[in-house]
Amino acid sequence: MEASWRQVAGGRGRARGRATAAPSSGNGLHLRGAGGGREKGSVGAVGPGPSPRGAATPAAAGSSAGRSPAGSEALQTSVACELMSQRKFEEIKKANQAAAKKLVEEHFSSSSEEEGDEDFEGKQGKIVANTFTTYTTQTDGDMRELERTKQYVHEAFQAGAMTCLICIASVKRNQAVWSCSGCFCIFHMPCIQKWAKDSQFLVSSPLTDDDFGKRDYPWPCPKCRFEYKRSDTPSRYYCYCGKVEDPPLDPWLVPHSCGHVCEREFKPPCGHKCLLLCHPGPCPPCPKMVTTTCYCKKAKPIPRRCSAKEWSCQLPCGRKLLCGQHKCESPCHAGNCPPCPRVSRQKCVCGKQAAERSCASPLWHCDQVCGKTLPCGHHTCEQVCHVGACGQCPRSGKRFCPCQKSKFSLPCTEDVPTCGDSCDKVLECGIHRCSQRCHRGPCETCRQEVEKQCRCGKHTKRMPCHKPYLCETKCVKMRDCQKHQCRRKCCPGNCPPCDQNCGRTLGCRNHKCPSVCHRGSCYPCPETVDVKCNCGSTKVTVPCGRERTTRPPKCKEQCSRPPTCHHTSQEKHRCHFGSCPPCHQPCQKVLEKCGHLCPAPCHDQALIKQTGRHQPTGPWEQPSEPAFIQTALPCPPCQVPIPTECLGKHEVSPLPCHTVGPYSCKRVCGRTLDCQNHTCMKECHKVTEIDAFIGKNKAGPECLQCEEGCSKSRPLGCPHPCVLPCHPGECPPCVQMLRIKCHCKITSLYVECRKITTADIDEKNLLSCCKNQCPKELPCGHRCKEMCHPGECPFNCNQKVKLRCPCKRIKKELQCNKVRENQISIECDTTCKEMKRKASEIKEAEAKAALEEEKRRQQAELEAFENRLKGRRKKSRKRDEVAVELTLWQKYKYSLLPACALVVLVFAWYIARDVA
């Protein structure tokens, strides 16, 4: 596909949609695109139909007629790319849909090989059993009549039991099927349609064209050979009862069933209809109850099932037999009475002989000729023992001569003479007539020589007419089997049917076709095979050929094989194929070291990977699969728990019997050392107890010796460690000097550590005081007058501060604490107010003067700007009115030309004079 596309498009692009390249009548190729258009030799044109996205429409194509070849090629490339993208999208979409559909069909398949038979043996089996049990609960129920229907229902639920005999494959619940009305065998719908079509073709193929299609040739069922008309060829998928077309898949119903009441008429018809739900196979016997009497009508009518309404009372029949002498002595029966079984002496028809014969056949014929004298009185009857009169003499009346041309009236004692005319009877050849005179007896053979053609019509020869002419040419036409030649000498064309055996291997792959050589497919193998379990007590019957794919039935019997280990009996398990599962019984052998019984599972036949096998010599040699050998393993170590104490006596743990002995529990020893502060950090170890009365917590000589310093907690505030090594009891007081800061954080003081740690709050404040004035500033800004003290400074500043009125004219000295507390304030007097008023008037006058000065300044700037603007306008107007000035050459060219000419002449004259 891709190579053809490159050949068509020249590598310029790919089509979008379902594009296929097909050979055309011309030199190029035709391309069918998504729009249905065609293109020859290129992909530039797209036919009528919906334009793909981005494709050129006819109007656009018309408007682009004058474009360059490069632009046209780019447009074609883009269109082709979009077409190819759409085609790939559609292909992937269809593939995904097909995969999803297949997954759903496999999920809902009822005949999947993964389905087991346990479901049917459970609830479904009970339901089917209860359904058919109701048919035998009344009088004279016959379970044997229900076995066929029960078998079909059983196979419908059983996985892999329903098999199509045409393709030898399982019939799944989601596949369309057809059921034969004769044998009720189920086939796939496509298989039976192909079978019917092939059968009709093979029957009608030997006919001429005139006869073909005029007759309705039947086709047979592949199993029971029940013939169907051409119009009966299945074309639609119906349920078993034929009410619903394409019955939906329902996991709660019988596969291919509609779930409605069957309502098919019983066979033989009784007026009732089947009451089961739509089901495979034949309908069971009619379960209706009717009141009926026996065959001989002697017994009283009793209620019975309609299917068994004809019954026998077992009394003697008593009806008179055909012999007319005896009565029927058989028990009450249906139909006519049997022939009379008694024997009597009876004469034959002619009465000459008598014999002991059955009373049921009184008329019989002996083997003697009648011999009675006929009415003519000259001849006797030549018939063998017969009934009635012998009749007239056959030689009486008018008789013909041998050639049948003349008639004579003669007595029966005289023979008819010949007439003397020519015989003129047609000879055996059927062409010529007898030329002899009228004669008795048969005519002689035809001896005329004729040009005779052989039977096949290929050769001619002159020879006597009575001799047949058969040439030696063998017929090369194919017989009706279309496989073998006729090979008959001088065949007239009506070749006989092939008489050889077909011999082709059937679909079962086990047998060959026993029929005479034929055309078309062979009939399915009629044989059945029993697939048995290993012991043979359970079997399932499947069509021949399905035994390879049918799993053996699950046998409920126990496996009877002898044990292969040291046990006297093996574990109970069901019948199976292959080797028995490993024995899981406890070994129970007595261990030699401890005497306990081995509790491990039986290990007499353990699979061990074989070692020391041939190693590959190089990477080219394939490594072989690992091999396992079956061998007996020794009993594992005894695992019986024995309570054992660890070395440090921390715990008592149950240890396996084979590991009993001194052991470490891996904990820390934890015994108290001599320092009474630490414990032994060694792993659980053996400890020799010197004094048993001290206890288990006392360290022994094997424990560690404490080499650490004293780690006891120091008094609050003491930063010095204890000077002694790790010791029991309290630590001595600390006598080291401790450097501390005073309350004001300026002076460093040295105090004994024990004093500062044992002092209370007041003593600590006293020890931390440097006896100097506090350097801290109060919120007012003055220095604290108190001596070095802890905490915040008291706010009692008594220093003098100056306080002024709001206008700063009046000034007084007051105490700082009173000013901070806003207890005293100084207000302005009348003088201050008058001065403030005068100052405000002066400010207003200054502001007004400054405003007027600002206005004058702005007016001056405005006038100056306008003056400058007027000067610019005058200059630009003058510049526009100036005329274009001429160059010197333009002004004086007419006067300068004669002057230049004169200068040249003078120069030439001067040079000529110098030369002379």
Side-chain angles (χ1 to χ4, degrees), residues 442-606:
C443 299
E444 62 180 7
T445 57
C446 183
R447 300 184 180 278
Q448 295 188 27
E449 287 191 0
V450 294
E451 190 76 19
K452 211 166 190 180
Q453 191 176 27
C454 67
R455 187 167 56 182
C456 65
K458 294 182 179 180
H459 305 279
T460 57
K461 184 178 181 181
R462 193 165 186 82
M463 59 185 305
C465 184
H466 69 278
K467 290 183 178 180
Y469 176 35
L470 301 178
C471 65
E472 298 296 326
T473 304
K474 293 184 178 180
C475 180
V476 296
K477 290 183 179 180
M478 301 299 290
R479 297 195 179 186
D480 56 353
C481 65
Q482 297 297 319
K483 294 179 182 179
H484 305 104
Q485 291 181 343
C486 178
R487 308 303 294 171
R488 188 173 60 161
K489 291 183 179 180
C490 196
C491 180
N494 54 345
C495 302
C498 185
D499 55 355
Q500 300 186 28
N501 288 333
C502 177
R504 285 186 293 181
T505 303
L506 298 177
C508 64
R509 307 283 182 180
N510 297 328
H511 305 96
K512 293 186 178 181
C513 181
S515 304
V516 178
C517 188
H518 58 87
R519 295 175 61 186
S521 302
C522 298
Y523 279 98
C525 181
E527 302 293 333
T528 57
V529 180
D530 291 338
V531 180
K532 299 182 179 180
C533 64
N534 188 34
C535 65
S537 60
T538 306
K539 64 180 180 179
V540 59
T541 303
V542 297
C544 183
R546 286 286 294 176
E547 68 275 6
R548 302 183 186 90
T549 58
T550 302
R551 292 180 298 174
K554 293 186 177 181
C555 182
K556 295 183 179 180
E557 301 294 331
Q558 299 294 333
C559 180
S560 58
R561 298 180 183 178
T564 55
C565 57
H566 67 277
H567 293 102
T568 57
S569 62
Q570 62 178 349
E571 291 179 305
K572 292 184 178 181
H573 58 277
R574 291 186 177 182
C575 172
H576 61 90
F577 288 91
S579 57
C580 290
C583 180
H584 297 288
Q585 300 181 72
C587 178
Q588 297 298 314
K589 289 183 180 179
V590 179
L591 301 178
E592 297 179 357
K593 295 183 179 180
C594 60
H596 295 123
L597 298 178
C598 178
C602 182
H603 45 79
D604 286 353
Q605 292 182 334

Side-chain angles (χ1 to χ4, degrees), residues 324-335:
Q325 299 178 5
H326 308 104
K327 291 184 179 181
C328 179
E329 297 178 356
S330 301
C332 179
H333 59 85

